[in-house]
Amino acid sequence: MSFLIFFLAVLSCSFAQQTGGRVQQAIDSIFTTGGFFDQFEEVTSARSEGFGAEQKCGEGADAGVHRCVRYFNCHGETKTIIPSEDYDGTGLIDIRFGNNNCDDYLDVCCQLPPDGVIPPEVTRPPNTVTSPPPTPPPNQPSFCGIRNTNGVDFKITGNNDNEAEYGEFPWMLALLKKNPVSGSPLAICGGSLITSKVVLTGAHCVDNLKNTDLKVRAGEWDTQTERERYVYQERDVDHIIVHEGFKSNNLYNDVALVILNKPFDKALHIGTICLPRQGTVFNSRNCFASGWGKDIFGQKGRYQVILKKIELPTVPRAQCESSLRQTRLGAKFALHQSFICAGGETGKDTCTGDGGSPLVCPDPSNPKRYYQAGIVAWGIGCGQANVPGVYVDVARFRSWIDGHMARLNINTSPYSV
């Protein structure tokens, strides 16, 4: 399909008290996230290691001297098998069909070394824990809001369905609900990293949940593989702060902070997003939403394996309210002051499973830096023309966030510019 079609987040109740029973019908398109992310793989290693180099590849005479190895075990120019630490960062991964007769798209067909001996690191089994990822080079930006437009460690081709680059949005998180029965986590929402141990998400994602029910995953990209060089990290939750003005029946003040039990480790594919100053108004056509939510509306929709992204314009408040009044919400609908809007273009929206995920917009004075403008909240319909999606207005809650950071003695510089 030509555009990623997301739809909007999780709602448990209607706006019936405000606009009558019509609203309940109008939001029938918004579900809970049962079954969301049960496709996520569990990874226990700190780093993904070589695969064993057992699969032969190539054609004719080359088949005897070539093996499938992970992209970081193949030199970019000589195409010869090397240890991971010698990788020069020139990988190019085709996510559609795989590479050179290898079974996995993160494997490449690479020539054996001249002596025919494969380095020991390459032959280790998966999930072997060795040294941590290398320290970023001196010129690696360490401040917030840096979008890796060309990916981290490799760049993908064949991304015709709005797949994000690996590490493109380093602040993107998955909130997982622990399942003591099956042992596999069930993701309930997205979130964003604002400091190394603080998550910003929607209140509807965590309201009425205990801290022991949750864990948070950073650095995820493809939920079905652990073959990237830098795998995800997970942390347990120390406590949850839900905005005191949150209303579950209409999602007013739909903002929450999740405080982790310990910080995420510094890594190339994990970073923080900048937060706007109190009262900032965004006006951009180049904002991005990201998530693993459904590709199309309804039961036929499938949760995404690879992180997706969609470029969206912000929509002025009066225009958004007017557009929403043309839906089943009716002529008396009033957009609450805690919301902003984005989208309203055919086939472009956020979807079931994306609740709590960030909407980020470029800094007008530095387009390479991004601020979080919104949090995925709710919407009507399915990527329809002139029907914007509704997001939490993050700029309205900057002082609230800073106040809790001060109370907890947490440094705000990781999200400040």
Side-chain angles (χ1 to χ4, degrees), residues 22 43 57 59 83 101 110 123 144 151 155 188 191 225-227 239 258 296 307 319 321 327 333 342 345-346 398 412:
R22 291 169 297 169
V43 179
C57 54
E59 299 178 356
N101 301 318
C110 200
T123 61
C144 61
K155 182 173 176 56
I188 56 173
T225 186
E226 53 191 71
R227 300 184 185 184
H239 63 282
V258 177
I296 60 173
L307 181 68
Q319 179 184 335
E321 184 176 78
T327 71
F333 172 76
E345 298 182 353
T346 303
R398 173 63 188 267
T412 63

Side-chain angles (χ1 to χ4, degrees), residues 38 47 70 74 104 124 146 183 198 201 236 300 314 373:
D38 51 3
R47 179 180 177 186
R70 299 188 189 183
C74 192
D104 191 276
R124 292 193 186 110
I146 301 303
V198 180
T201 189
D236 289 326
K300 293 183 179 180
T314 57

Side-chain angles (χ1 to χ4, degrees), residues 68-200:
C68 288
V69 296
R70 299 188 189 183
Y71 66 91
F72 51 81
N73 286 133
C74 192
H75 192 277
E77 294 183 358
T78 65
K79 305 302 180 184
T80 302
I81 296 175
I82 56 171
S84 301
E85 57 266 23
D86 293 338
Y87 176 62
D88 60 5
T90 57
L92 189 66
I93 309 300
D94 191 321
I95 63 173
R96 294 171 299 178
F97 309 115
N99 275 297
N100 303 321
N101 301 318
C102 296
D103 290 338
D104 191 276
Y105 70 86
L106 289 179
D107 289 352
V108 295
C109 190
C110 200
Q111 185 172 331
L112 293 171
D115 59 6
V117 178
I118 300 175
E121 179 189 357
V122 183
T123 61
R124 292 193 186 110
N127 296 333
T128 300
V129 178
T130 59
S131 58
T135 301
N139 62 348
Q140 179 70 25
S142 59
F143 47 88
C144 61
I146 301 303
R147 174 181 165 220
N148 298 308
T149 55
N150 291 318
V152 171
D153 208 42
F154 63 85
K155 182 173 176 56
I156 59 176
T157 66
N159 48 330
N160 298 325
D161 206 11
N162 288 305
E163 292 87 357
E165 295 286 345
Y166 174 57
E168 182 173 357
F169 303 102
W171 50 80
M172 184 69 206
L173 304 173
L175 272 61
L176 309 173
K177 186 175 182 180
K178 298 178 182 178
N179 189 334
V181 178
S182 68
S184 298
L186 181 68
I188 56 173
C189 272
S192 58
L193 192 65
I194 62 173
T195 83
S196 60
K197 64 176 299 183
V198 180
V199 177
L200 180 64

Side-chain angles (χ1 to χ4, degrees), residues 37 39-41 220-225 292 304-306:
F37 282 10
Q39 80 272 20
F40 268 38
E41 295 284 347
E220 179 63 276
W221 178 63
D222 183 337
T223 65
Q224 292 294 285
T225 186
W292 293 272
Q304 301 304 287
V305 171
I306 293 177

Side-chain angles (χ1 to χ4, degrees), residues 150 175 184 209 217 253 255 279 286 320 332 400 405:
N150 291 318
L175 272 61
S184 298
L209 289 178
R217 181 178 295 183
N253 304 305
V255 61
N286 306 116
C320 179
K332 294 183 179 181
W400 179 83
M405 297 299 99

